[in-house]
Amino acid sequence: MNAIQRASEEFDAYYSTYDPCTDKLLTEFERIYAGRGDMSSYELKARNIAYLCDHAPVHVFEHSPFFFEISSGRARHTWGGLQSHVGSFLHEKTADLWLNPYARETETDREEGRLHAWNNPVSFDHYSLGYDNILSVGFEGLAARAEAALERAEDAESRAFLRGSIASMRALMRLAARFADEARRLAAEADADETRAHYLRVAEAAGRVPAKSPRTFYEALASIVFCREAIGSLEGIGVSIFGHLDRLLEPYYTADIAAGSMTHEDAKALLHMLLTYTDTRFEVRRGFFETSTTIEIGGCHLDGTPCYNGVTRALLEAVLEGRYVNTKINCRVSRAHPKAYFEQIAAVQAARIPVLVMQNDDAIIAARVKCGQSIEDARTYVGGGCHEITLQNTEVCTRADTWINLPRLLLDAMETSGAETFEAFYIDALETIKRFILRIMALKNKYERLWCKYDPLPLLSATMTGCLESVRDATAGGTKYASTAISLLAPATLIDSLNTIKTLVYERRDMTLKALMALCRSDFEGHEAERRFIAQRIPKYGAGNDDVDAFGARVLKDVAALYRDERGMLYKNGRGGDYLPAFYAHDIFRPLGHKTIATPDGRRAFTPLSRGCSPSEFIESTPTDILRAVKAIDFTDYADSFCAEITLPQLPADRAQPLIAALIASFIAAGGSSLQFNLIDRDLLVEARKAPDEHRDVCVRVCGYSAVFVTLCDEIQDEIVSRAVR
């Protein structure tokens, strides 16, 4: 048995039986809360963090070089405090004051399918830490900065934030020291020299990082892992992102290789351990559990030069060797990257390991700059959770909590518009969409302003550029960029529906707008011939028609403009930051589709809406068609990841690899935003449904994540199979 197998078995055995100590911790948190008096929210949060750091049991694994596991109320299939009643204690305790009212005010729109939203005005997930800051000076350095800021802080709110931040950082460093003590204890009890050496190595690392800056590749990676795991649990926030890993680790990799203290294989073994942890903890081959765990690679350095190095290669080699399922590997690509990078990405895809998404620097960085962010900061972007975008050190962007159903709003416009020309109707439709967006923004702002009052993030904030400088918590807008991305949904369904209205109602005049709306309400009952004509004969977006693709590009540009006021400025959120136009479907195109009647494009009632920037589900399309549609769109209008999917048949690796590499290059040349692949054999998927235990090696790309096909629910399996026949 090799080291990776031993670690996997140890993780599995531990998480099958461990006690997260939830009830005991909640009892203590209730005691702290009851005695809070006039304690500020920052001090209250810091006390909870300190209690966990000082009292939650720590566990050091015999076969993992990383230290991170504390019994903090976090169950096995969770990635941070977000899903823990302990980590989420404060926002659950105060929910009636800000979260539940927001949920009530959006309830009708959620029930009627205009909106899919979690019951909160802000996101408690998909965050990155300021990893560059952590590695640069360690928490000792960050605490020193906070203490210097405290000496010059003038108002009570700033002083409360800084005191809470300093106390939280000191507690985090004590937690790492507890791991060092535990590792030394285990080393003293070890019988074997190899085991003793392992624990002493962990003890040395935990005794240094994250308090100080790391000296080696191992210490740097251990610091990243500890901070991601611990801060997520302590803050009650989803820190989904391990960061821009190859850029962060390259200096340590290069130095260790040059010194002869580490080989490429040694570095790869550590990355294997990281990927093994996620797959094993979340039991990805036994059932489906969302991991929300992301690594960013590729892209560029802070000076804009391409990032593709030994760490990049080692990580992709590890993915290929271990066939990991759901640590999400986001590959930043650009025209400046070498062909070898695309070939290595393609090799993973050709091996039917669908954990990668390609994010195009050329479009995404330009989109971020268009939204007012500096190019130097934009170069640090990472995708988190699935592939939503945030800046690693300078931005807290709340997102992946609200999705707006554009086709449903188009139906609202059809009910009320009396426009006599298509251009007049088009304006009515855009105004209907904008009114709804502004209403949701106003609701979010109303309650987002209370975030810092009830559940601040003093520990996460300390790592982010801007918070210590502005002496404000991230929840109060302290980060350099305090953005919000409200995702719009189903662009292809919207485009094709508008094109049908344009064609049938205003050009051919085959029917009135009210008559077409009546067909939609009835799900085309008794009018199947008309529905087939609409679905099959009227040209569709992404199906090789340049005129429709150009029309779609116009629609998307006009929709992006809805996020700006009459001065052309982006609308502001409750923290003083910008609302960013976004399209990331996740898998919300299904539940919102289930609440949406038939649409003018010929889509049947209560069936899925379109995904990302891909054509509608029932449209015949080829990779070439999709690339033509992508080329027409200006993706720099959208600051988030706007993903297209290309579905290919399963091909032999020697044929699939060059094809995929060429498609990636073509996608970049077309100016696309993000791209994912599925290599699907419909017959194999059908067989897997019949004999699931024999097909636990069949993995598919769902949306921003991949999964073992047979662990998915029937509805998602049906949808994946339907992609295979397009």
Side-chain angles (χ1 to χ4, degrees):
M1 184 184 300
N2 64 31
I4 304 302
Q5 291 172 312
R6 289 194 296 271
S8 180
E9 291 191 0
E10 184 183 14
F11 288 142
D12 192 38
Y14 177 78
Y15 290 115
S16 295
T17 59
Y18 93 118
D19 179 7
C21 299
T22 301
D23 292 341
K24 178 181 177 180
L25 294 170
L26 285 175
T27 298
E28 183 59 29
F29 276 26
E30 289 285 0
R31 184 191 66 78
I32 295 171
Y33 193 76
R36 68 192 182 280
D38 60 356
M39 189 186 302
S40 73
S41 61
Y42 305 105
E43 185 180 359
L44 183 58
K45 187 67 173 284
R47 287 200 180 184
N48 287 354
I49 289 171
Y51 186 86
L52 288 172
C53 288
D54 293 337
H55 299 287
V58 302
H59 181 81
V60 178
F61 291 98
E62 181 180 349
H63 298 293
S64 171
F66 305 122
F67 54 95
F68 55 82
E69 185 54 59
I70 57 175
S71 294
S72 60
R74 174 183 168 190
R76 176 171 190 167
H77 304 124
T78 61
W79 58 89
L82 175 70
Q83 306 85 19
S84 159
H85 292 298
V86 176
S88 302
F89 180 83
L90 284 183
H91 69 250
E92 290 184 5
K93 199 71 177 176
T94 61
D96 285 341
L97 301 173
W98 65 304
L99 304 181
N100 295 339
Y102 172 79
R104 286 192 294 272
E105 292 194 55
T106 57
E107 184 175 5
T108 298
D109 289 315
R110 287 185 282 117
E111 289 178 350
E112 295 181 356
R114 294 178 184 86
L115 186 72
H116 184 99
W118 309 132
N119 294 333
N120 43 266
V122 298
S123 174
F124 293 118
D125 197 9
H126 307 295
Y127 291 103
S128 175
L129 301 174
Y131 289 112
D132 286 87
N133 297 327
I134 294 169
L135 296 184
S136 175
V137 299
F139 277 92
E140 286 184 353
L142 293 173
R145 292 177 184 176
E147 288 163 350
L150 182 59
E151 292 181 1
R152 61 178 185 272
E154 297 179 353
D155 62 276
E157 179 84 1
S158 297
R159 290 193 294 272
F161 158 63
L162 290 168
R163 285 195 294 265
S165 181
I166 292 165
S168 298
M169 287 190 277
R170 295 295 179 196
L172 183 72
M173 289 186 277
R174 292 197 303 272
L175 176 61
R178 290 180 63 208
F179 276 103
D181 290 343
E182 175 65 5
R184 280 191 289 268
R185 183 188 71 80
L186 292 169
E189 295 179 354
D191 295 328
D193 290 344
E194 182 179 356
T195 304
R196 186 178 303 107
H198 162 77
Y199 286 129
L200 289 174
R201 183 190 191 200
V202 172
E204 182 181 9
R208 181 173 183 86
V209 296
K212 301 179 186 299
S213 56
R215 299 164 297 188
T216 66
F217 180 91
Y218 163 57
E219 287 183 353
L221 185 54
S223 182
I224 290 168
V225 173
F226 172 80
C227 290
R228 188 264 181 172
E229 296 291 306
I231 293 175
S233 296
L234 299 171
E235 284 276 37
I237 202 77
V239 179
S240 299
I241 308 164
F242 279 116
H244 192 176
L245 213 54
D246 53 351
R247 180 179 66 77
L248 290 168
L249 295 176
E250 181 179 16
Y252 305 98
Y253 174 91
T254 302
D256 287 359
I257 294 287
S261 58
M262 183 184 74
T263 67
H264 179 80
E265 293 301 314
D266 293 335
K268 189 197 304 184
L270 289 168
L271 296 169
H272 267 292
M273 284 291 184
L274 177 58
L275 299 169
T276 295
Y277 161 66
T278 300
D279 269 21
T280 307
R281 178 166 189 154
F282 289 86
E283 299 185 278
V284 296
R285 297 192 184 277
R286 296 177 188 163
F288 175 69
F289 304 98
E290 171 59 69
T291 68
S292 198
T293 302
T294 307
I295 291 171
E296 197 81 32
I297 60 172
C300 62
H301 295 280
L302 302 186
D303 64 0
T305 57
C307 179
Y308 175 62
N309 54 49
V311 184
T312 321
R313 292 189 291 274
L315 184 69
L316 290 172
E317 288 166 8
V319 170
L320 189 58
E321 292 166 5
R323 299 191 65 84
Y324 299 103
V325 175
N326 207 353
T327 296
K328 303 160 189 181
I329 312 297
N330 291 359
C331 302
R332 288 175 49 179
V333 296
S334 73
R335 286 170 291 185
H337 278 97
K339 183 180 179 182
Y341 180 38
F342 299 154
E343 290 174 342
Q344 197 172 9
I345 291 171
V348 174
Q349 302 276 15
R352 299 188 295 281
I353 307 171
V355 298
L356 310 184
V357 66
M358 281 58 68
Q359 297 174 319
N360 182 9
D361 273 15
D362 298 337
I364 293 173
I365 292 174
R368 287 277 163 167
V369 172
K370 186 181 283 190
C371 288
Q373 297 174 345
S374 76
I375 191 168
E376 293 81 11
D377 292 331
R379 288 169 179 157
T380 70
Y381 82 83
V382 291
C386 289
H387 39 67
E388 308 92 333
I389 300 299
T390 191
L391 307 186
Q392 182 167 275
N393 305 305
T394 55
E395 182 178 38
V396 163
C397 180
T398 74
R399 67 253 201 263
D401 57 27
T402 305
W403 289 262
I404 291 176
N405 183 347
L406 294 180
R408 179 66 177 82
L409 297 177
L410 177 65
L411 293 167
D412 287 346
M414 291 174 68
E415 292 275 17
T416 58
S417 177
E420 296 185 359
T421 66
F422 176 73
E423 288 303 316
F425 173 76
Y426 184 71
I427 291 171
D428 286 347
L430 290 176
E431 289 180 348
T432 299
I433 293 169
K434 182 160 189 172
R435 281 195 301 272
F436 188 80
I437 291 173
L438 291 178
R439 183 158 69 81
I440 298 303
M441 286 179 178
L443 281 175
K444 290 175 75 70
N445 290 358
K446 176 181 176 181
Y447 295 106
E448 183 180 32
R449 294 188 180 100
L450 301 174
W451 193 6
C452 60
K453 181 177 181 180
Y454 296 122
D455 191 19
L457 302 171
L459 184 51
L460 179 143
S461 297
T463 75
M464 302 300 295
T465 299
C467 289
L468 297 182
E469 294 84 353
S470 67
V471 293
R472 284 186 296 164
D473 193 88
T475 61
T479 47
K480 188 173 181 180
Y481 307 107
S483 315
T484 300
I486 296 179
S487 180
L488 307 173
L489 203 74
T493 307
L494 174 70
I495 292 163
D496 291 341
S497 294
L498 281 167
N499 189 51
T500 298
I501 293 168
K502 177 173 173 285
T503 302
L504 287 186
V505 175
Y506 292 104
E507 293 178 350
R508 293 170 55 105
R509 299 191 177 273
D510 288 349
M511 63 181 71
T512 64
L513 193 63
K514 291 188 181 299
L516 181 56
M517 185 66 211
L519 290 181
C520 293
R521 281 196 297 268
S522 71
D523 195 19
F524 297 94
E525 183 177 357
H527 296 274
E528 180 59 18
E530 289 92 332
R531 191 196 71 81
R532 284 200 305 269
F533 176 82
I534 291 171
Q536 298 172 10
R537 300 293 297 277
I538 294 179
K540 297 292 188 292
Y541 162 84
N545 186 291
D546 290 340
D547 290 339
V548 178
D549 291 344
F551 175 70
R554 174 198 174 188
V555 171
L556 292 178
K557 181 165 283 293
D558 290 341
V559 167
L562 302 180
Y563 281 72
R564 296 180 181 269
D565 63 20
E566 62 278 0
R567 300 166 301 159
M569 304 297 292
L570 291 164
Y571 288 105
K572 297 297 182 182
N573 62 26
R575 291 169 292 131
D578 294 325
Y579 277 102
L580 305 180
F583 273 102
Y584 45 81
H586 191 55
D587 58 0
I588 310 303
F589 63 94
R590 277 187 294 273
L592 278 181
H594 295 337
K595 292 183 176 182
T596 306
I597 64 172
T599 42
D601 60 340
R603 172 193 149 273
R604 302 305 298 256
F606 314 123
T607 58
L609 301 169
S610 63
R611 291 176 290 118
C613 65
S614 295
S616 289
E617 302 300 294
F618 59 89
I619 302 303
E620 294 283 342
S621 184
T622 68
T624 301
D625 293 335
I626 292 171
L627 290 173
R628 285 171 65 179
V630 163
K631 189 173 183 178
I633 298 167
D634 183 358
F635 285 97
T636 67
D637 288 331
Y638 290 92
D640 225 298
S641 179
F642 196 162
C643 195
E645 178 176 306
I646 292 179
T647 301
L648 300 171
Q650 285 193 2
L651 300 169
D654 61 344
R655 291 178 56 197
Q657 184 173 348
L659 173 61
I660 292 169
L663 287 170
I664 294 170
S666 296
F667 182 80
I668 295 168
S673 173
S674 296
L675 174 67
Q676 64 185 28
F677 288 98
N678 249 321
L679 274 69
I680 295 178
D681 181 330
R682 181 183 184 279
D683 292 339
L684 179 62
L685 298 185
V686 171
E687 184 60 33
R689 299 185 79 167
K690 295 177 182 176
D693 288 340
E694 298 174 16
H695 293 86
R696 293 194 175 271
D697 60 337
V698 177
C699 298
V700 293
R701 187 77 178 177
V702 182
C703 51
Y705 63 90
S706 59
V708 173
F709 176 72
V710 299
T711 66
L712 298 168
C713 68
D714 289 346
E715 178 191 354
I716 296 179
Q717 287 185 0
D718 288 342
E719 193 264 316
I720 297 292
V721 170
S722 72
R723 296 187 206 175
V725 298
R726 183 151 88 174

